C-alpha cells in the first residue's frame, strides 16, 4: 500500500468531534429524504461512483456551508436559494 492510498483511508481528527458527529448525523436523513439540494448532491455523487460514506460526508460539508451562510447573513433558512438580485441586498428592517 502506498503512502497516498494509505492516507486516503485515514479519518481526519481535525475540528470538534461533537460537531463532526452532529453534521454527519444530520446529513444522513437530509441527504436521503428531506433536503432537495442535498438529495441531488448525494444522487449525483453516487451516480459518479462515490461510496455512500464519501457522498454523505460531502453532504455534511454542504450542510455546514448552508449553516454558515444562514448565520453570516442573519436570515432564516429558505428551501429555495435566493435570486441573484436579493443576495447583495440588506434585509428589510
Amino acid at each position: 500500500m502506498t503512502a497516498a492510498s494509505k492516507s486516503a483511508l485515514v479519518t481526519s481528527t481535525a475540528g470538534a468531534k461533537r460537531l463532526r458527529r452532529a453534521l454527519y448525523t444530520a446529513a444522513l436523513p437530509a441527504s436521503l429524504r428531506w433536503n432537495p439540494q442535498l438529495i441531488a448532491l448525494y444522487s449525483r455523487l453516487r451516480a459518479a461512483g462515490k461510496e455512500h460514506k464519501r457522498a454523505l460526508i460531502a453532504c455534511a460539508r454542504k450542510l455546514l456551508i448552508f449553516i454558515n451562510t444562514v448565520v453570516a447573513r442573519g436570515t432564516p433558512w429558505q428551501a429555495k436559494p435566493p435570486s441573484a438580485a436579493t443576495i447583495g441586498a440588506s434585509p428589510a428592517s
Side-chain angles (χ1 to χ4, degrees), residues 12-90:
S12 173
T13 57
K17 183 177 183 178
R18 288 178 65 187
L19 178 60
R20 283 195 319 270
R21 183 175 292 158
L23 284 169
Y24 184 85
T25 304
L28 184 60
S31 61
L32 298 176
R33 180 176 240 176
W34 299 110
N35 187 305
Q37 293 170 324
L38 292 180
I39 291 169
L41 174 64
Y42 179 83
S43 299
R44 183 170 44 87
L45 291 173
R46 289 291 289 163
K50 298 294 180 188
E51 300 165 354
H52 165 74
K53 191 168 185 177
R54 286 184 185 245
L56 197 57
I57 294 298
C59 290
R61 185 176 185 283
K62 180 68 90 170
L63 189 59
L64 182 61
I65 292 169
F66 291 163
I67 293 166
N68 284 336
T69 303
V70 166
V71 170
R73 290 184 184 161
T75 58
W77 169 253
Q78 298 175 356
K80 292 183 180 178
S83 65
T86 60
I87 290 177
S90 61

